[in-house]
Amino acid sequence: FEVKASFLRNEKGDAVGLVGVDRDITERKEMEKSLRDSQRKEMRNALNLAFLSRAAMELVEITPEENIYDFISWKVRELAGNAIVIILSYDVSAKTITIESFSGPKGTSDYIISITNGNPVGLRTQIQEAEMLHRAGNPELHQVKGGLEELTLGAIPKDVSAKFSAHFNLGESYSISLV
């Protein structure tokens, strides 16, 4: 509500009463919020389009010697900020997934290498086709409860996943399929 009030004064200027008007401004406030939300969304969309345009131009300039998975990982991190990004590939004939890229904030790679005794990039694990098809068929961002172990479909073991999550104080994990 919006309230406006004024004193009612006599001929001498003394306050002898109060006159007030109150008005329900809920609808106006909702419209203002909707406008602000719309403007934020429009700005975010413009920034995302600019990002995608730059990324597309950079993508076509990648040489055969450069790692496309690292490029994708860096671009996702550019969008997501302080994220840990793992890129997996799926070999249909061998029914395996391979960690193709693993990136994150400073120290991420060194720490994962120290607790796995090697670079996780290149780790390969067998997978059930139905499980991969379920993942590949889900282009929506969804929460993954099992941390790195579940994100990598078992390529990174549960104990390593727990150490990594504790070390970096990781919260929720999410996955999206880019097929």
Side-chain angles (χ1 to χ4, degrees):
F1 280 90
E2 179 180 67
V3 178
K4 291 186 179 186
S6 300
F7 286 107
L8 190 58
R9 300 188 183 276
N10 64 17
E11 313 74 46
K12 295 180 189 175
D14 299 328
V16 293
L18 186 67
V19 176
V21 177
D22 63 328
R23 175 170 52 156
D24 184 352
I25 59 170
T26 304
E27 187 174 322
R28 184 182 89 202
K29 290 293 185 182
E30 287 172 353
M31 286 175 47
E32 288 171 355
K33 182 185 180 311
S34 177
L35 178 61
R36 282 190 309 273
D37 291 347
S38 177
Q39 288 169 333
R40 273 193 293 271
K41 184 177 180 182
E42 194 172 306
M43 177 58 81
R44 188 174 53 247
N45 285 343
L47 291 172
N48 286 342
L49 284 172
F51 169 83
L52 289 172
S53 176
R54 273 192 334 273
M57 294 304 294
E58 292 169 11
L59 182 62
V60 297
E61 294 173 359
I62 288 180
T63 66
E65 296 79 32
E66 293 178 276
N67 184 329
I68 187 118
Y69 298 109
D70 285 341
F71 174 82
I72 294 168
S73 182
W74 296 325
K75 289 301 169 188
V76 169
R77 287 203 56 232
E78 190 176 323
L79 271 180
N82 200 24
I84 295 170
V85 179
I86 303 165
I87 307 288
L88 306 173
S89 66
Y90 178 54
D91 182 329
V92 177
S93 60
K95 294 184 182 174
T96 60
I97 59 134
T98 303
I99 298 175
E100 300 289 354
S101 180
F102 190 105
S103 67
K106 186 173 170 79
T108 304
S109 295
D110 292 340
Y111 186 72
I112 194 73
I113 289 169
S114 76
I115 62 175
T116 60
N117 297 317
N119 193 334
V121 174
L123 283 178
R124 192 168 291 178
T125 191
Q126 289 292 130
I127 186 167
Q128 298 299 314
E129 192 167 336
E131 187 175 5
M132 192 61 203
L133 290 175
H134 170 72
R135 286 272 183 101
N138 190 357
E140 299 293 322
L141 186 68
H142 65 278
Q143 188 172 9
V144 177
K145 301 285 186 189
L148 290 180
E149 179 196 24
E150 187 175 334
L151 281 171
T152 62
L153 302 170
I156 295 179
K158 190 175 199 166
D159 63 323
V160 172
S161 173
K163 284 180 188 175
F164 188 85
S165 294
H167 181 80
F168 285 101
N169 194 26
L170 296 181
E172 299 170 339
S173 299
Y174 293 87
S175 175
I176 189 167
S177 178
L178 303 173
V179 265

